[in-house]
Amino acid sequence: MKNCTEKKSEHLNCSIRQILDRFGDKWSILIISTLGHVGKQRFNELNQQIGDISQKMLTVTLRSLEADGLISRTLYPEIPPRVEYELTDLGRSLLPHIEQLALWAEQHMETILKNREKYASQKVS
Amino acid sequence: MKNCTEKKSEHLNCSIRQILDRFGDKWSILIISTLGHVGKQRFNELNQQIGDISQKMLTVTLRSLEADGLISRTLYPEIPPRVEYELTDLGRSLLPHIEQLALWAEQHMETILKNREKYASQKVS
DNA sequence: CAGTATCCTAGAAGATACTG
DNA sequence: CAGTATCTTCTAGGATACTG
């Protein structure tokens, strides 16, 4: 890993590396975005909402998001137990940027896929 | 993978999955951002600029970005050969959003790291 | 219900050597 | 210089079974 203090000019690169480190995994962004739309939600509700996440990864990702203060976890000590997850203010502050990226995807992903096909077919010839 | 056409309400989730699929790897975003700042750049220059990327991953990532039309590759058939990489308009259109995320990281990453420490120390007790 | 605890695997990424 | 071509490693993530 590059030493991020070496040059002023690398501050941006360094921030990007931090973003990738934190949110470059498979589920963090998706969970934040989901909680952003539906608001408060229980473990199994999230599980179903996302659909193709394993129980393990849901647990692991929720824990790490909680550890970083991006979501809050509230346990209601009933039987059976109820646990509700919710974005914190910090987590919510990330939402607009995620939505910007999603919007960019909506606008450009079709072009990208077409480019990709064209490139692949050129490779053949 | 979820079927992204099943519900209107899942369009956003779906776009986010596309973003993660395309840019969730280790180097794409970093290369785009680097080319965004320095402009046109040669293979070995990029290699040095980034510092800790392997030759293989630089090649692989540049190829996939080129295939998707996010960067352009210009070969000058000299000896020794010279190759220059540059963002396309499509690639450049992504820059502001990357910078927004980087800015968010600059503003909040310290808090996140502190939260993480606090959480870890609570775990011990 | 909301998780742990294990085991296991695919594939992303790295190291190294070679080349037009 | 700007790459291939192999081989290897590593770990994120998944599958499954169990539990307070």
Side-chain angles (χ1 to χ4, degrees):
Chain A
M1 169 91 122
K2 291 193 87 172
N3 175 6
C4 286
T5 59
E6 51 192 42
K7 284 194 221 161
K8 285 281 182 192
S9 65
E10 281 170 9
H11 266 189
L12 180 59
N13 259 13
C14 188
S15 304
I16 288 168
R17 283 168 190 267
Q18 290 181 315
I19 288 285
L20 289 172
D21 270 4
R22 181 58 192 87
F23 300 106
D25 68 307
K26 195 170 175 182
W27 300 112
S28 291
I29 299 267
L30 205 57
I31 288 176
I32 290 174
S33 149
T34 302
L35 286 176
H37 304 136
V38 301
K40 200 175 294 190
Q41 205 153 22
R42 302 177 63 169
F43 185 87
N44 275 351
E45 288 173 341
L46 270 173
N47 203 347
Q48 287 161 28
Q49 187 82 17
I50 295 177
D52 54 349
I53 189 172
S54 67
Q55 209 170 21
K56 175 191 160 186
M57 286 316 295
L58 183 54
T59 305
V60 166
T61 310
L62 285 171
R63 286 287 177 282
S64 73
L65 290 172
E66 186 199 358
D68 289 4
L70 292 159
I71 66 174
S72 68
R73 175 181 185 274
T74 312
L75 165 68
Y76 299 89
E78 313 162 354
I79 294 181
R82 181 162 55 100
V83 178
E84 286 184 344
Y85 293 95
E86 190 176 12
L87 288 183
T88 60
D89 288 345
L90 183 59
R92 244 185 304 276
S93 73
L94 191 59
L95 272 181
H97 306 117
I98 295 178
E99 269 155 28
Q100 284 308 303
L101 284 177
L103 194 61
W104 186 93
E106 272 183 40
Q107 290 169 344
H108 300 294
M109 201 54 76
E110 209 166 332
T111 304
I112 287 183
L113 294 178
K114 278 183 187 162
N115 288 340
R116 197 177 295 178
E117 279 180 42
K118 197 163 66 184
Y119 187 88
S121 69
Q122 285 169 358
K123 276 267 154 180
V124 177
S125 63
Chain B
M1 169 94 122
K2 291 192 87 174
N3 175 5
C4 286
T5 60
E6 51 190 42
K7 283 194 222 162
K8 286 280 182 192
S9 66
E10 279 168 11
H11 267 188
L12 180 60
N13 259 14
C14 187
S15 304
I16 288 168
R17 283 168 190 265
Q18 290 182 316
I19 288 284
L20 290 172
D21 269 5
R22 181 58 192 87
F23 301 106
D25 68 306
K26 195 169 176 183
W27 300 113
S28 291
I29 298 269
L30 206 57
I31 288 176
I32 289 174
S33 146
T34 302
L35 286 177
H37 303 137
V38 301
K40 202 175 291 193
Q41 206 154 21
R42 302 177 63 170
F43 185 88
N44 275 351
E45 289 173 341
L46 270 172
N47 202 347
Q48 287 162 27
Q49 188 82 16
I50 296 178
D52 55 349
I53 190 171
S54 68
Q55 210 171 19
K56 175 192 160 187
M57 287 316 296
L58 184 53
T59 304
V60 166
T61 311
L62 285 172
R63 286 288 176 280
S64 73
L65 291 172
E66 187 200 358
D68 289 4
L70 293 158
I71 67 174
S72 68
R73 175 181 185 274
T74 312
L75 165 66
Y76 299 88
E78 314 162 353
I79 294 182
R82 181 161 58 98
V83 176
E84 286 184 344
Y85 293 94
E86 190 176 11
L87 288 184
T88 60
D89 288 345
L90 183 59
R92 245 186 303 277
S93 73
L94 191 60
L95 272 181
H97 306 118
I98 295 178
E99 268 156 29
Q100 283 309 302
L101 283 177
L103 194 62
W104 187 93
E106 273 182 40
Q107 289 168 344
H108 301 293
M109 202 54 77
E110 210 165 332
T111 305
I112 286 182
L113 294 177
K114 277 183 187 162
N115 288 341
R116 197 177 294 180
E117 279 179 43
K118 199 165 65 184
Y119 187 89
S121 68
Q122 285 169 356
K123 277 268 151 179
V124 178
S125 61

